[in-house]
Amino acid sequence: MEYINIIFSETYKILFLLVPVLVSVAMIVWLDRRIWAFVQKRQGPNVVGPFGLLQSLADALKYMFKEVIIPSSSNKVIFILAPIVTMTLALISWAVIPFSATQVLADINVGILYLFAVSSLGVYGIIMGGWASNSKYPFLGAIRSAAQMVSYEVSIGVIIINVLLCVGSLNLNDIVMAQEKLWFVIPLFPMFVIFFISALAETNRPPFDLPEAEAELVAGYQTEYSGMMYAMFWLGEYANILLMCAMGAILFLGGWLSPIEIYPFTLIPSAIWLIFKILFLFVLFALVKAIVPRYRYDQLMKLGWKIFLPLSLTWVILTSSYLFYFNLLPTN
């Protein structure tokens, strides 16, 4: 009975985390479309439900009832597994995100390492989908995506080192608590900018959406997908975007901490502050999508390897030298 109680308890915790994440994904798809429409002086989704809020639900129902077509020449097992892998990896990353000092599913000591590892595995779902389709456009999209995600993961990893030098811990709660007096976005502002742009490339968002460039590759790695399998790719992509916004909020914007520790700001729950910061970063993601034109692939690679990587490495040297010289290195 004890084991059954543990299973039910953990299942409840997991559902309590995943259901809001899935609902949030539906809502940010609506928000993304509304912001894009606002920039272009259009209405956007505004018919289904109040303010068009039920548009994402209508789209989900449409995908559920559409036929799933599996190409006869594809590797059927890998073709089916690809969207499942993409969506699963995007959702399990949320296990270590702290919404307050106590509201976290798994408060592990290597939280940031877990996040980085799981988000790095996301490329496998895209490669599997592109290769298993047995078609040139999906395969080219998958190859592009692999090169792009690996390139910008290097920069994100080096940027995280800057934060870890200031904290001395891989635990996400410790990273948040280290920003009680000063958010890291102030001393590490150049790293915040590089992290934000690298997150756009990591999640295949415009102007770095080259793996699914419709003018060249039809729809890239997801060309042959339809119905719920296509929707699972989109679900995984938007869950990853929210995850990157959560990482940015935790690493640079003080996570669940209030910006000003005075009344009435202290009355607002910690989780609400984190959600506000995630939404702020997502609005920036959406604005970039609406404003910035798509890069060429050579420009994308040049930005990652020739500009961001040297800059982030240089900043690691500057940060560590400053902390060492002024005897500010964290001690456990």
Side-chain angles (χ1 to χ4, degrees):
M1 286 301 292
E2 186 181 346
Y3 289 117
I4 293 171
N5 287 335
I6 291 170
I7 289 168
F8 274 115
S9 173
E10 294 306 312
T11 304
Y12 170 75
K13 289 177 185 175
I14 291 166
L15 289 175
F16 191 74
L17 174 69
L18 289 186
V19 171
V21 169
L22 292 171
V23 173
S24 300
V25 167
M27 289 299 100
I28 66 159
V29 171
W30 170 84
L31 180 62
D32 196 24
R33 293 171 69 180
R34 290 288 287 195
I35 292 170
W36 204 0
F38 172 76
V39 173
Q40 297 176 342
K41 293 188 177 180
R42 294 187 289 107
Q43 288 294 316
N46 65 340
V47 176
V48 186
F51 306 106
L53 283 168
L54 298 179
Q55 181 65 54
S56 294
L57 177 62
D59 291 340
L61 287 171
K62 178 187 74 173
Y63 282 125
M64 284 179 191
F65 291 105
K66 283 178 78 76
E67 183 183 0
V68 174
I69 299 170
I70 301 174
S72 57
S73 61
S74 66
N75 185 319
K76 293 176 178 58
V77 175
I78 298 177
F79 186 85
I80 294 167
L81 279 176
I84 297 171
V85 168
T86 300
M87 189 183 75
T88 304
L89 289 170
L91 293 177
I92 64 172
S93 305
W94 286 89
V96 296
I97 298 293
F99 288 87
S100 74
T102 54
Q103 287 179 299
V104 54
L105 188 62
D107 189 17
I108 56 177
N109 288 329
V110 288
I112 194 68
L113 200 60
Y114 170 87
L115 269 183
F116 192 59
V118 173
S119 64
S120 300
L121 289 171
V123 70
Y124 285 106
I126 292 171
I127 291 174
M128 287 165 66
W131 181 81
S133 297
N134 198 19
S135 174
K136 61 182 178 181
Y137 288 132
F139 185 64
L140 284 170
I143 295 296
R144 278 186 174 190
S145 183
Q148 176 175 324
M149 291 174 81
V150 169
S151 299
Y152 282 86
E153 273 166 14
V154 176
S155 296
I156 290 174
V158 176
I159 291 163
I160 290 171
I161 292 171
N162 282 281
V163 175
L164 299 182
L165 283 169
C166 299
V167 180
S169 172
L170 293 166
N171 183 281
L172 292 171
N173 264 326
D174 291 344
I175 291 172
V176 172
M177 295 310 295
Q179 300 177 69
E180 274 188 303
K181 295 180 181 177
L182 182 69
W183 291 0
F184 290 150
V185 69
I186 297 171
L188 300 175
F189 184 73
M191 293 300 97
F192 172 69
V193 174
I194 294 176
F195 175 86
F196 178 78
I197 298 171
S198 298
L200 289 171
E202 177 73 9
T203 53
N204 298 328
R205 285 285 288 186
F208 307 120
D209 57 337
L210 291 151
E212 51 201 54
E214 71 282 345
E216 308 154 24
L217 304 177
V218 187
Y221 59 88
Q222 51 200 6
T223 301
E224 302 292 345
Y225 283 89
S226 61
M228 273 309 292
M229 292 174 73
Y230 177 79
M232 286 167 77
F233 267 124
W234 273 102
L235 187 67
E237 185 170 318
Y238 272 91
N240 264 329
I241 291 164
L242 274 182
L243 180 70
M244 281 294 168
C245 293
M247 280 182 68
I250 289 166
L251 293 174
F252 296 100
L253 301 178
W256 39 264
L257 293 175
S258 168
I260 306 170
E261 289 294 329
I262 58 170
Y263 182 88
F265 293 98
T266 49
L267 294 178
I268 300 173
S270 302
I272 301 299
W273 280 121
L274 181 62
I275 291 167
F276 279 156
K277 291 169 186 178
I278 291 171
L279 280 175
F280 168 72
L281 289 174
F282 180 76
V283 168
L284 294 182
F285 265 67
L287 287 172
V288 168
K289 176 181 178 178
I291 294 167
V292 184
R294 183 180 288 145
Y295 270 46
R296 289 199 320 266
Y297 204 75
D298 60 308
Q299 293 172 325
L300 173 76
M301 287 296 153
K302 181 181 178 182
L303 186 67
W305 290 107
K306 291 187 176 181
I307 299 173
F308 283 178
L309 184 59
L311 272 176
S312 50
L313 285 169
T314 304
W315 206 267
V316 167
I317 296 167
L318 292 173
T319 302
S320 53
S321 302
Y322 176 84
L323 294 172
F324 179 76
Y325 183 78
F326 289 102
N327 199 24
L328 294 172
L329 284 167
T331 54
N332 295 322

